[in-house]
């Protein structure tokens, strides 16, 4: 469970990025966070990743209170999350297998466990035949699937995807979104930050709309009109 | 319990070394120069000390006793000398012994008759002498002053100037050497810091991904620390080899041209020097890398 209680984020330069945000996300939910540039989406993500702390209010993710979480415990908290970025952020000098395995190696998983788990994950994202390929040999959609596989490697409870379809074509975008829904059905919370109206309206999931740092709409099966 | 592989960190350390080959080579070269200079100065000082000890006469003062002093007074003077600070050994040469020494030294050169004549008057011609050895060159002036002020002492012969010149020379070398070393080590650390910073910069995206995945600070930092350690280790080993050949080359030159100087063989200092080079190399490498990584320890 993720809970934002009266969360406010004021940056040192005076920018008020989030103002009195109240949001509760249950385990296993699928959520779109939408809004224009500067609406506060990135800050919301940074707070969830514990890159930033709230200025006011409380942010709780499962058993972690992110306001009081010490820097020492941040890596352990982040192991509960799987993060996917718009620009994939894969290691160009590693194969698909190694990219996914790296996430497990980082947290000290033994090689035997890595060797067993990585093929299973690659099967989920349908890349089992490309485990020896390097990222530059893959299409944008495939690269994003590798990034998704890496995010899943450590069996996180929450997946945070920041504009996951921003760098891929519409057909691949649908494929990625379907994959995210498939992952959600495995009882994982999925938060997709996007500004792609078509996708949000196509999948009709819970939609949280941010504007000027405030939640202006929060509706299950909601729609998003970027022009409003 | 999960364990990180040591081989992974070592492998990453070598990988970082390879990725920034030019800067790594520069770091190793600077550190090797630094260590070779340090080793050379150290060996020079060690050799000076060794030669100072060998030249034992420089550590001796001859104290001459007034001819009129009785045996009792001579014994009293001996006790007074022995009670002084910085005196390590006192040797008494009687008038008769001095006479015999002189006789032996000059007797073969046609002075036999002269010594036959002196035989009867030796107590009036020669003096009781004390050869005083001391331990600390830097306090020899004080000792000389104290000896010359003992009642019954007529003359004090001391090689103070020679001993002090060598001592001052040694201290000067140590002073220059220390400052030189400090500067060289600062430069070495600076170069290593820059090498590591460049590696960190090249891997900044990798580091940011590691953070999001949940890597601990140690997991992120250790490869860079290992990189510094490897730089130090290679530099230490290379410096030892250079030092060995350089020292033996100079040793051959000195022993061929300056027979009066005693030079320590490299074999006798080989192990401590190797340990010192590797130790200082590793320490500098780790210090250089750790100093450049401080900000990456923030979450």
């Amino acid at each position: 469970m993720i809970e934002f209680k009266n969360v406010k984020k004021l940056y040192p330069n005076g920018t008020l990025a989030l103002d009195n945000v109240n949001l509760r996300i249950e385990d296993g939910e699928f959520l779109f966070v939408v809004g224009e540039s500067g609406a506060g989406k990135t800050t919301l993500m940074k707070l969830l990743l514990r890159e930033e702390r709230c200025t006011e209010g409380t942010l709780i993710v499962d058993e972690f209170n992110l306001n009081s979480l010490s820097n020492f415990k941040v890596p352990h908290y982040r192991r509960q999350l799987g993060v996917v970025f718009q620009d994939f952020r894969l290691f160009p000098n590693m194969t698909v297998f190694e990219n996914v395995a790296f996430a497990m190696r980082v947290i000290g998983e033994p090689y035997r466990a890595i060797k067993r788990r990585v093929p299973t994950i690659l099967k989920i994202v349908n890349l089992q035949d490309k485990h020896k390929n390097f990222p530059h040999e893959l299409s944008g959609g495939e690269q994003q699937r590798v990034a998704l596989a890496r995010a899943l490697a450590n069996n996180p409870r929450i997946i945070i995807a920041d504009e996951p379809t921003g760098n891929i074509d519409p057909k691949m975008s649908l494929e990625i979104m379907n994959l995210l829904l498939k992952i959600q059905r495995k009882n994982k919370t999925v938060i997709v930050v996007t500004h792609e109206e078509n996708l949000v309206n196509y999948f009709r999931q819970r939609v949280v709309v941010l504007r000027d740092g405030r939640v202006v709409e929060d509706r299950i099966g909601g729609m998003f009109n970027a022009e409003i | 319990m999960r364990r990180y592989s040591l081989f992974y960190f070592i492998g990453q350390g070598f990988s970082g070394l390879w990725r920034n080959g030019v800067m790594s080579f520069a770091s190793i070269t600077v550190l090797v120069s630094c260590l070779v200079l340090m080793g050379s100065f150290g060996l020079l000082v060690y050799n000076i000390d060794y030669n100072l000890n060998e030249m034992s006469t420089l550590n001796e003062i001859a104290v001459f006793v007034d001819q009129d002093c009785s045996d009792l007074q001579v014994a009293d003077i001996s006790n007074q000398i022995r009670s002084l600070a910085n005196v390590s050994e006192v040797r008494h040469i009687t008038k008769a012994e001095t006479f015999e020494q002189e006789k032996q030294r000059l007797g073969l050169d046609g002075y036999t008759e002269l010594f036959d004549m002196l035989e009867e008057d030796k107590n009036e011609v020669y003096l009781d002498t004390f050869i005083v050895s001391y331990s600390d060159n830097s306090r020899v002036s004080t000792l000389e002053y104290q000896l010359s002020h003992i009642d019954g002492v007529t003359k004090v012969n001391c090689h103070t100037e020679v001993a002090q010149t060598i001592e001052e020379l040694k201290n000067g070398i140590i002073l220059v050497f220390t400052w030189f070393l400090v500067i060289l080590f600062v430069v070495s650390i600076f170069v290593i810091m820059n090498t590591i910073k460049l590696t960190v910069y090249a891997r900044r995206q990798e580091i940011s991904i590691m953070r999001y995945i949940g890597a601990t600070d140690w997991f992120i930092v250790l490869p860079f620390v290992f990189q510094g350690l490897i730089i130090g280790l290679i530099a230490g080993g290379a410096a030892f080899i250079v030092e060995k050949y350089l020292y033996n080359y100079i040793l051959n030159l000195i022993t061929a041209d300056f027979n009066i100087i005693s030079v320590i063989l490299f074999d006798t200092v080989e192990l401590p020097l190797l340990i010192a080079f590797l130790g200082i190399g590793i320490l500098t490498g780790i210090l250089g890398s750790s100093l450049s990584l401080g900000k990456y320890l923030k979450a």
Side-chain angles (χ1 to χ4, degrees), chain B residues 46-80:
Chain B
Y46 193 50
N47 272 295
I48 290 173
D49 254 351
Y50 180 73
N51 276 279
L52 272 177
N53 291 334
E54 286 279 294
M55 296 155 81
S56 57
T57 50
L58 288 176
N59 284 30
E60 287 177 357
I61 301 172
V63 178
F64 299 98
V65 179
D66 197 288
Q67 233 164 15
D68 299 332
C69 285
S70 64
D71 287 350
L72 204 65
Q73 283 173 308
V74 172
D76 183 49
I77 290 168
S78 169
N79 288 336
Q80 284 189 58

Coordinates of all heavy atoms in Angstrom, one line a residue, chain B residues 46-80:
Chain B
Y46 N 69.8 6.1 4.9 CA 70.2 4.8 5.6 C 71.7 4.6 5.4 O 72.4 4.2 6.4 CB 69.4 3.7 5.0 CG 69.4 2.4 5.8 CD1 69.2 2.4 7.2 CD2 69.7 1.2 5.2 CE1 69.3 1.2 7.9 CE2 69.7 0.0 5.9 CZ 69.5 0.0 7.2 OH 69.6 -1.1 7.9
N47 N 72.2 4.9 4.2 CA 73.6 4.7 3.9 C 74.5 5.7 4.7 O 75.6 5.3 5.2 CB 73.9 4.8 2.4 CG 73.7 3.4 1.8 OD1 74.5 2.5 2.0 ND2 72.7 3.3 0.9
I48 N 74.0 6.9 4.8 CA 74.8 7.9 5.5 C 74.9 7.5 7.0 O 76.0 7.6 7.6 CB 74.1 9.3 5.4 CG1 74.3 9.9 4.0 CG2 74.7 10.3 6.4 CD1 73.5 11.1 3.7
D49 N 73.8 7.1 7.5 CA 73.8 6.6 8.9 C 74.8 5.5 9.1 O 75.5 5.4 10.1 CB 72.4 6.1 9.3 CG 71.7 7.1 10.2 OD1 72.4 8.1 10.6 OD2 70.5 7.0 10.4
Y50 N 74.7 4.6 8.2 CA 75.6 3.4 8.2 C 77.0 3.8 8.2 O 77.9 3.3 9.0 CB 75.2 2.5 7.0 CG 76.0 1.2 7.0 CD1 75.8 0.2 7.8 CD2 77.0 1.0 6.0 CE1 76.5 -1.0 7.8 CE2 77.8 -0.1 5.9 CZ 77.5 -1.1 6.8 OH 78.2 -2.3 6.7
N51 N 77.4 4.7 7.3 CA 78.8 5.2 7.2 C 79.2 6.0 8.5 O 80.3 5.9 8.9 CB 78.9 6.0 6.0 CG 79.2 5.1 4.8 OD1 80.3 4.7 4.6 ND2 78.1 4.8 4.0
L52 N 78.2 6.7 9.0 CA 78.5 7.5 10.3 C 78.9 6.5 11.4 O 79.8 6.8 12.1 CB 77.3 8.3 10.7 CG 77.2 9.7 10.1 CD1 76.0 10.4 10.5 CD2 78.4 10.6 10.4
N53 N 78.2 5.4 11.4 CA 78.5 4.4 12.5 C 79.8 3.7 12.2 O 80.5 3.4 13.1 CB 77.4 3.4 12.5 CG 76.1 4.0 13.1 OD1 76.1 5.0 13.8 ND2 74.9 3.4 12.7
E54 N 80.1 3.5 10.9 CA 81.3 2.9 10.5 C 82.5 3.8 10.9 O 83.5 3.3 11.4 CB 81.3 2.7 9.0 CG 80.5 1.5 8.6 CD 81.1 0.2 8.8 OE1 82.1 -0.1 8.1 OE2 80.6 -0.6 9.6
M55 N 82.4 5.1 10.7 CA 83.4 6.0 11.0 C 83.4 6.3 12.5 O 83.1 7.4 13.0 CB 83.3 7.3 10.2 CG 83.4 7.1 8.7 SD 82.5 8.4 7.8 CE 83.7 9.7 7.8
S56 N 83.7 5.3 13.3 CA 83.6 5.4 14.7 C 84.5 6.5 15.3 O 84.1 7.0 16.4 CB 83.9 4.0 15.4 OG 85.2 3.6 15.0
T57 N 85.6 6.8 14.7 CA 86.5 7.8 15.2 C 85.8 9.1 15.3 O 86.2 10.0 16.1 CB 87.8 7.9 14.4 OG1 87.4 8.1 13.1 CG2 88.7 6.7 14.6
L58 N 84.9 9.3 14.4 CA 84.1 10.6 14.5 C 83.3 10.7 15.7 O 82.9 11.8 16.1 CB 83.2 10.7 13.3 CG 83.9 11.0 11.9 CD1 82.9 10.9 10.8 CD2 84.7 12.3 11.9
N59 N 83.0 9.6 16.3 CA 82.2 9.6 17.5 C 83.1 9.5 18.8 O 82.6 9.1 19.8 CB 81.3 8.4 17.5 CG 80.1 8.7 16.6 OD1 80.3 9.4 15.6 ND2 79.0 8.1 16.9
E60 N 84.3 9.9 18.7 CA 85.2 9.8 19.8 C 85.9 11.2 20.1 O 86.2 12.0 19.2 CB 86.4 8.8 19.5 CG 85.9 7.4 19.6 CD 86.9 6.4 19.3 OE1 88.1 6.8 18.9 OE2 86.6 5.2 19.4
I61 N 86.1 11.5 21.4 CA 86.7 12.7 21.8 C 88.0 12.3 22.6 O 87.9 11.4 23.5 CB 85.8 13.6 22.7 CG1 84.6 14.0 21.9 CG2 86.5 14.8 23.2 CD1 83.5 14.7 22.8
A62 N 89.1 12.9 22.3 CA 90.3 12.6 23.1 C 90.5 13.7 24.2 O 90.4 14.9 23.9 CB 91.5 12.6 22.2
V63 N 90.5 13.2 25.5 CA 90.6 14.1 26.6 C 92.0 13.9 27.2 O 92.4 12.8 27.7 CB 89.5 13.8 27.7 CG1 89.7 14.7 28.9 CG2 88.2 13.9 27.0
F64 N 92.8 15.0 27.3 CA 94.2 14.9 27.8 C 94.2 15.5 29.2 O 93.7 16.5 29.5 CB 95.2 15.7 26.9 CG 95.2 15.1 25.5 CD1 94.5 15.7 24.5 CD2 96.0 14.0 25.2 CE1 94.5 15.2 23.2 CE2 96.0 13.5 23.9 CZ 95.2 14.1 22.9
V65 N 94.9 14.7 30.1 CA 95.0 15.1 31.5 C 96.3 15.8 31.8 O 97.3 15.4 31.3 CB 94.8 13.8 32.4 CG1 94.9 14.1 33.9 CG2 93.5 13.1 32.1
D66 N 96.2 16.8 32.7 CA 97.4 17.5 33.1 C 98.5 16.6 33.6 O 98.2 15.6 34.4 CB 97.0 18.5 34.2 CG 98.0 19.6 34.4 OD1 99.0 19.3 34.9 OD2 97.7 20.7 33.9
Q67 N 99.7 16.9 33.2 CA 100.8 16.0 33.6 C 101.0 15.9 35.1 O 101.5 14.9 35.7 CB 102.1 16.6 33.0 CG 102.9 15.6 32.2 CD 103.9 16.3 31.3 OE1 104.3 17.5 31.5 NE2 104.4 15.5 30.4
D68 N 100.6 17.0 35.9 CA 100.9 17.0 37.3 C 99.9 16.2 38.1 O 100.0 16.1 39.3 CB 100.9 18.5 37.8 CG 102.0 19.3 37.1 OD1 103.0 18.7 36.7 OD2 101.8 20.5 36.9
C69 N 98.8 15.7 37.4 CA 97.8 15.0 38.2 C 98.3 13.7 38.7 O 99.0 12.9 38.0 CB 96.6 14.8 37.3 SG 95.6 16.2 37.0
S70 N 97.9 13.4 40.0 CA 98.2 12.1 40.6 C 97.3 11.0 40.0 O 96.3 11.3 39.4 CB 98.1 12.2 42.1 OG 96.7 12.4 42.4
D71 N 97.6 9.8 40.3 CA 96.8 8.6 39.9 C 95.4 8.7 40.4 O 94.4 8.4 39.8 CB 97.4 7.3 40.4 CG 98.7 7.0 39.5 OD1 98.9 7.7 38.5 OD2 99.4 6.1 39.9
L72 N 95.3 9.2 41.7 CA 94.0 9.4 42.3 C 93.2 10.4 41.6 O 92.0 10.2 41.3 CB 94.2 9.9 43.8 CG 93.1 9.6 44.7 CD1 92.9 8.1 44.9 CD2 93.3 10.3 46.1
Q73 N 93.8 11.5 41.2 CA 93.1 12.6 40.4 C 92.7 12.1 39.1 O 91.6 12.4 38.6 CB 94.0 13.8 40.3 CG 94.1 14.7 41.5 CD 95.2 15.8 41.4 OE1 96.3 15.5 41.0 NE2 94.8 17.0 41.7
V74 N 93.6 11.3 38.4 CA 93.2 10.7 37.1 C 92.0 9.8 37.3 O 91.0 9.9 36.4 CB 94.4 9.9 36.5 CG1 94.0 9.1 35.3 CG2 95.5 10.9 36.2
A75 N 91.9 9.0 38.3 CA 90.8 8.1 38.6 C 89.5 9.0 38.8 O 88.4 8.6 38.3 CB 91.1 7.2 39.8
D76 N 89.7 10.1 39.5 CA 88.5 11.0 39.7 C 88.0 11.6 38.4 O 86.8 11.7 38.2 CB 88.9 12.1 40.7 CG 87.8 13.0 41.1 OD1 86.7 12.4 41.4 OD2 87.9 14.2 40.9
I77 N 89.0 12.0 37.6 CA 88.6 12.5 36.3 C 87.8 11.5 35.5 O 86.8 11.8 34.8 CB 89.8 13.0 35.5 CG1 90.4 14.3 36.2 CG2 89.5 13.3 34.0 CD1 91.8 14.7 35.7
S78 N 88.3 10.2 35.5 CA 87.7 9.1 34.8 C 86.2 9.0 35.3 O 85.3 8.8 34.4 CB 88.5 7.8 35.1 OG 87.7 6.7 34.6
N79 N 86.0 9.1 36.6 CA 84.6 8.9 37.1 C 83.8 10.1 36.7 O 82.6 9.9 36.3 CB 84.7 8.9 38.7 CG 85.2 7.5 39.1 OD1 85.2 6.5 38.4 ND2 85.8 7.5 40.3
Q80 N 84.3 11.3 36.7 CA 83.5 12.5 36.3 C 83.1 12.3 34.8 O 82.0 12.7 34.4 CB 84.4 13.7 36.4 CG 84.5 14.2 37.9 CD 85.1 15.6 38.0 OE1 84.6 16.5 37.4 NE2 86.2 15.6 38.7

